[in-house]
Amino acid sequence: MVIRVKLRTGDRIYRREAEEKRLGFVSDWAEEEGLSPEFARSLQYLIMSDSRNVQVGILEAQRSGEKIPQEFAELPAEELRANLLKLAAWWAPRYDSDYGNQGVATKLHQEFERTLITEEIGSLPHRELLVDIGCATGRETLEHAHGFRRAVGYDVSPEMIAVAETALPQSFR
């Protein structure tokens, strides 16, 4: 886990130079791949920001003498996958109705993500195949499938896929 390495090495949580280097790398990579560098930088920034927030929470817990919450402990990959599948199974039936209603930040993130994806799709020169990796209930896949010859959604959770299949119009089957 990143915070454990930083605690061991004495590195600060926020390291502007390192983050700018990562943002530059992802921007260059996106440009080489024909993707929007701004979109790639935005996603990378969100990932780094979330990582910093988790690291601060762990550091605060540790400094106050609290035991680090189990969800931040290092777990074997199999256990992480099992936990993810349990969480997804719990969320699947209520994901579309509840997820965006949990708070302002979630709604804003969804709007931001949808806007970026819509802009990127609009700039694509070819629309043969739309692939949504981590599609959950397929809501975004269906929203953006128009104009593509084929749309495919993948998710690790069978329960999420089952919900997606029930929402799938006959024309998409």
Side-chain angles (χ1 to χ4, degrees):
M1 182 174 271
V2 174
I3 189 63
R4 293 187 195 284
V5 172
K6 288 182 179 178
L7 288 170
R8 192 171 56 248
T9 62
D11 282 343
R12 294 184 339 265
I13 289 175
Y14 176 66
R15 297 178 304 143
R16 182 183 181 119
E17 303 79 25
E19 291 192 11
E20 284 298 324
K21 185 176 178 180
R22 280 192 188 93
L23 291 170
F25 173 79
V26 78
S27 183
D28 293 345
W29 170 84
E31 198 162 347
E32 289 170 11
E33 295 296 321
L35 302 170
S36 165
E38 292 81 18
F39 179 70
R41 283 177 67 89
S42 295
L43 288 177
Q44 181 65 39
Y45 185 81
L46 284 171
I47 292 166
M48 291 185 310
S49 178
D50 194 47
S51 176
R52 283 192 308 270
N53 289 340
V54 169
Q55 291 175 57
V56 167
I58 291 171
L59 189 58
E60 287 174 352
Q62 208 171 42
R63 286 187 176 158
S64 67
E66 295 175 42
K67 183 180 175 193
I68 295 176
Q70 179 62 32
E71 63 265 25
F72 298 129
E74 292 185 51
L75 300 173
E78 306 82 37
E79 191 172 342
L80 290 172
R81 180 180 168 83
N83 288 345
L84 173 63
L85 290 172
K86 283 181 202 171
L87 177 63
W90 180 83
W91 260 114
R94 63 187 62 76
Y95 186 79
D96 288 336
S97 62
D98 293 355
Y99 180 64
N101 298 322
Q102 295 300 313
V104 175
T106 304
K107 287 179 187 176
L108 289 173
H109 175 73
Q110 285 178 322
E111 289 173 22
F112 172 74
E113 184 179 63
R114 186 172 292 122
T115 299
L116 283 175
I117 291 169
T118 301
E119 287 174 3
E120 288 303 309
I121 287 174
S123 69
L124 292 174
H126 305 287
R127 294 189 183 186
E128 295 295 317
L129 176 64
L130 170 68
V131 178
D132 185 352
I133 299 172
C135 69
T137 61
R139 180 176 54 199
E140 293 296 320
T141 313
L142 288 173
E143 182 168 323
H144 298 291
H146 61 281
F148 284 86
R149 291 188 63 204
R150 185 167 179 230
V152 179
Y154 291 98
D155 200 279
V156 68
S157 166
E159 288 84 0
M160 289 287 194
I161 293 296
V163 171
E165 287 174 343
T166 63
L168 197 61
Q170 284 293 50
S171 59
F172 282 90
R173 294 175 193 242

